[in-house]
Amino acid sequence: MHRRTMLKGLGAVASLPLLGSAAHAEDTVKIGLILPMTGQSASTGKQIDAAVKLFMAQNGDSVAGKKVQVILKDDTGVADVTKRLAQELIVNDKVAVLAGFGLTPLALAVAPLATQAKVPEIVMAAATTIITQKSPYIVRTSCTLPQTTVPLADWAAKNGIKTVVTLVSDYGPGIDAAKAFKGRFTKAGGKITGELTAPLRNPEFAPFLQKVRDLKPDALFLFVPSGQGAALMKQVAERELTKAGIKVIATGDVTDDDQLPDMGDSVLGMVTTHFYSAAHPSPENKAFVAAFEKANPKMRPNFMAVGGYDGMHLIYEALKKTGGKTDGTALVDAMKGASWTSVRGPVKIDPATREIIQTVYVRKVEKVDGQLYNIEFDKIPDVVPPSPDGN
Ligand code: PHB
């Protein structure tokens, strides 16, 4: 199997005696995939890794006459490790593309290297606004927090919510989310009556939730990164906020499809906004979810998987456009303006910002065939990442 795929990858080289390692290296496009495969954000790494493998199983391991080789590295969610791994991948492995980046600090740590080495950095997960501004070689296939948050602030303002307390993880995307929600919601006449932040590492939410009960807003707005939603929602249920008359709303990071099946009925009816739900009712998504679940039993794809799957699509399309040329500047140029029908819906890479323009859905947690899903009931098409103040 391995030999056969190797030979297929080398098919373009006519003369056999020239099949040295140099010829082989030239015919291989290496992608360094850096993910948190262990540690607090391991679910993000596992989802993206599974999606990258699925994409290659479905689309083949060669494109534009080149064999594609993904080199997976575990950064354990620690930025110094991400940076060292990126350096090794650039210098030793001579990767054409770096991809992954499960958390904002990990994506930021690599930005100067991407610029210096002129290697595209495909951000498949991290979602703080500032990231793409840190290198002209960064292209993002996930989202920004203001992009997914603004539609929720609009929904809240239109649905009788007058006062909100925000509770977010105390780092880039959390600060972005709280700021965007506040900017947009107050512009629409709403009031923020408390701004709380919980630590990113090993958060203890109970004292914050008690504070929310005391402040008694109409609604509590939440953001925590994918992987922390189950722990947070367990404590929300224990504090009985809904019984106290406080509506709980969040970005879809909180009810992400990786953990939602185990969250229990207390999250039923919770409204969130995001770019992806495994229940998105398009034929493309139904096929994607079926193939993903077949390849990864007991695992439901979440939005991280889709960021990874679309990231691979973008890399393959760019290689087709350059005719297999791996020059970093040419690859990034080829990515600018790319548009396709993703399993999430229609998407486009903004040529000016290298951000993804996409539909943001308003969803409600419901049970389908006995399982919890984010069911879309409204959508805002072609959302361009807004400025961090949400306006
Ligand atoms: C981030 O660190 O940028 C991040 C991680 C997980 C999310 C969203 C943002 O769900």
Side-chain angles (χ1 to χ4, degrees):
M1 172 68 187
H2 178 62
R3 212 175 129 244
R4 218 177 59 214
T5 47
M6 249 182 61
L7 287 173
K8 195 172 147 213
L10 293 169
V13 181
S15 158
L16 259 161
L18 286 177
L19 278 177
S21 59
H24 176 72
E26 268 171 31
D27 272 15
T28 300
V29 180
K30 290 184 185 169
I31 301 171
L33 182 63
I34 312 178
L35 293 169
M37 298 303 294
T38 52
Q40 195 172 269
S41 299
S43 68
T44 293
K46 286 179 186 151
Q47 285 275 346
I48 294 178
D49 177 41
V52 166
K53 290 196 165 89
L54 176 63
F55 182 89
M56 291 184 71
Q58 291 175 331
N59 295 276
D61 62 358
S62 62
V63 62
K66 299 271 178 136
K67 180 164 164 61
V68 178
Q69 183 193 356
V70 171
I71 305 173
L72 173 65
K73 299 281 182 188
D74 176 13
D75 66 10
T76 71
V78 176
D80 286 345
V81 180
T82 320
K83 192 174 172 185
R84 176 175 54 76
L85 291 171
Q87 240 150 2
E88 289 170 4
L89 285 162
I90 292 169
V91 175
N92 301 341
D93 297 294
K94 310 212 166 12
V95 295
V97 177
L98 289 165
F101 310 105
L103 291 164
T104 287
L106 316 182
L108 291 176
V110 174
L113 300 176
T115 304
Q116 211 180 7
K118 300 190 194 316
V119 170
E121 176 182 342
I122 310 306
V123 175
M124 297 167 156
T128 304
T129 297
I130 197 86
I131 292 172
T132 44
Q133 295 160 29
K134 294 298 182 187
S135 170
Y137 288 87
I138 296 179
V139 183
R140 175 150 47 191
T141 56
S142 49
C143 64
T144 75
L145 258 303
Q147 188 179 30
T148 52
T149 299
V150 158
L152 185 64
D154 289 347
W155 180 87
K158 279 190 213 131
N159 284 273
I161 294 170
K162 304 253 182 289
T163 55
V164 170
V165 171
T166 58
L167 170 56
V168 298
S169 297
D170 192 8
Y171 79 120
I175 307 302
D176 245 18
K179 196 171 167 191
F181 191 94
K182 183 182 184 178
R184 189 77 170 194
F185 187 61
T186 52
K187 201 176 174 196
K191 215 168 151 191
I192 301 295
T193 54
E195 296 175 63
L196 309 175
T197 51
L200 172 63
R201 304 276 167 198
N202 307 310
E204 177 53 60
F205 298 112
F208 298 108
L209 296 171
Q210 186 54 49
K211 185 96 205 274
V212 176
R213 269 199 81 135
D214 298 342
L215 289 164
K216 213 172 177 322
D218 292 340
L220 166 65
F221 166 73
L222 295 171
F223 164 83
V224 289
S226 180
Q228 290 193 9
L232 170 60
M233 291 317 295
K234 186 163 174 274
Q235 293 185 37
V236 167
E238 282 165 9
R239 293 277 139 179
E240 299 189 314
L241 291 190
T242 318
K243 255 194 211 156
I246 302 165
K247 229 177 161 59
V248 180
I249 57 176
T251 63
D253 307 82
V254 175
T255 59
D256 97 70
D257 279 293
D258 190 85
Q259 295 195 324
L260 182 58
D262 302 320
M263 281 190 196
D265 288 357
S266 65
V267 294
L268 276 170
M270 183 167 159
V271 170
T272 61
T273 45
H274 215 261
F275 69 76
Y276 180 71
S277 162
H280 179 59
S282 71
E284 292 85 3
N285 186 51
K286 282 184 180 155
F288 169 72
V289 173
F292 188 98
E293 292 186 346
K294 189 166 174 220
N296 307 278
K298 298 207 179 80
M299 205 171 153
R300 188 197 288 179
N302 71 358
F303 65 92
M304 294 297 188
V306 174
Y309 195 72
D310 283 340
M312 286 304 286
H313 173 91
L314 187 60
I315 294 167
Y316 269 49
E317 289 307 306
L319 282 164
K320 283 182 199 167
K321 261 200 199 162
T322 63
K325 229 177 88 183
T326 55
D327 172 73
T329 310
L331 281 176
V332 170
D333 281 346
M335 291 176 190
K336 291 177 182 171
S339 64
W340 66 100
T341 302
S342 162
V343 299
R344 66 181 99 176
V347 296
K348 180 181 174 178
I349 302 298
D350 188 331
T353 60
R354 292 159 277 105
E355 295 283 15
I356 192 160
I357 299 170
Q358 58 190 333
T359 305
V360 176
Y361 303 88
V362 191
R363 312 95 50 87
K364 187 181 277 180
V365 177
E366 287 177 19
K367 246 183 196 169
V368 179
D369 295 334
Q371 280 210 50
L372 297 173
Y373 280 96
N374 296 299
I375 302 298
E376 297 161 359
F377 65 89
D378 199 3
K379 63 177 178 185
I380 301 92
D382 306 322
V383 180
V384 176
S387 88
D389 72 359
N391 293 304

